[in-house]
């Protein structure tokens, strides 16, 4: 069974600074997706970024980028130029391909506070 | 486009009562999911459906039932509510050609007292 671990329950960063959130996962599969979701106080789940395991190039979306280390089973999220609106819970998630369910397996989350 | 709509947004239920959480989507997605999120935790899969008439258990199905009579609707039934079912419930959907493109509802906060 796959597991996703986020070892940082809470983090804090000064506005305009850079912060990195950690995620490790355990799987014997070779084909999968990894995701970072943002959950602001409104509790809406918002996709931040997605990484396909077969791609060596790290995904980027504006100020958000990942460091995907497949051999180490590590998938960290870097937020550059942090903004107050980045304050939220961040969840790392795993999706196995070839599984008819396409279910997401979530980590326990990291609460990020951006300080003005 | 309404996306995924969940009702109600909030509800307080007494121990032993039953209720149905409603979920409907207007995107013609064939995959639908129910997750629960306990305080300070990630989401856990309760049940999922890959199409009308087909449902299957997820990680935490005990105490719940689902049905999928139409593509659009995927209600979650709680029978004999217990305090352990106090949680935020999320419905989500995706399309088989783009299974990674989940659309989440806004959630239902349920308290069992």
């Amino acid at each position: 069974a796959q597991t996703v671990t986020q070892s940082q329950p809470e983090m804090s960063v000064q506005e305009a600074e850079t912060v990195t959130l950690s995620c490790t996962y355990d799987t014997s599969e070779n084909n999968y997706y990894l995701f970072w979701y943002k959950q602001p106080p409104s509790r809406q789940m918002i996709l931040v970024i997605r990484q396909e395991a077969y791609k060596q190039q790290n995904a980027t979306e504006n100020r958000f980028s990942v460091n995907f280390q497949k051999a180490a089973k590590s998938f960290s999220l870097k937020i550059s130029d942090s903004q107050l609106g980045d304050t939220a819970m961040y969840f790392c998630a795993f999706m196995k391909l070839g599984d008819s369910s396409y279910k997401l397996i979530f980590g326990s989350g990291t609460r990020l506070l951006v300080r003005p | 486009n309404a996306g995924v709509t969940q009702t109600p947004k909030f509800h307080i239920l007494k121990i032993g009562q039953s209720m149905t959480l409603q979920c409907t989507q207007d995107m013609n997605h064939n995959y639908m999911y129910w997750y629960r999120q306990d305080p300070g935790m990630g989401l856990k899969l309760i049940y999922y459906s890959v199409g009308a008439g087909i449902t299957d258990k997820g990680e935490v199905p005990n105490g719940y039932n689902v049905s999928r009579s139409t593509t659009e609707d995927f209600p979650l039934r709680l029978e004999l509510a217990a305090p352990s079912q106090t949680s935020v419930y999320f419905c989500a959907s995706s399309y088989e050609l783009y299974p990674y493109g989940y659309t989440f509802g806004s959630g239902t906060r349920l308290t069992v007292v």
Side-chain angles (χ1 to χ4, degrees), chain B residues 80-99:
Chain B
L80 298 175
S84 61
Q85 293 178 303
T86 293
S87 192
V88 178
Y89 292 84
F90 287 95
C91 180
S93 71
S94 67
Y95 183 52
E96 64 180 319
L97 293 182
Y98 304 101

Side-chain angles (χ1 to χ4, degrees), chain A residues 94-112:
Chain A
F94 173 97
M95 177 188 284
K96 171 184 167 185
L97 295 183
D99 178 336
S100 61
S101 72
Y102 294 109
K103 62 190 176 190
L104 286 169
I105 298 170
F106 288 87
S108 56
T110 297
R111 185 176 302 278
L112 176 67

Side-chain angles (χ1 to χ4, degrees), chain A residues 9 17 19 34 38 46-47 58 67 84 97 100 113:
Chain A
E17 297 293 309
V19 64
L34 293 164
K38 171 185 178 181
I46 301 166
L47 177 65
N58 289 325
N67 183 4
L84 296 179
L97 295 183
S100 61
L113 173 66

Side-chain angles (χ1 to χ4, degrees), chain A residues 74-93:
Chain A
S74 172
F75 183 61
S76 61
L77 175 69
K78 185 172 82 171
I79 306 175
S80 304
D81 186 24
S82 296
Q83 300 176 358
L84 296 179
D86 295 334
T87 291
M89 282 288 287
Y90 287 82
F91 293 99
C92 179

Side-chain angles (χ1 to χ4, degrees), chain A residues 19-30:
Chain A
V19 64
T20 298
L21 308 184
S22 301
C23 173
T24 58
Y25 59 96
D26 187 22
T27 186
S28 58
E29 302 294 328
N30 199 41

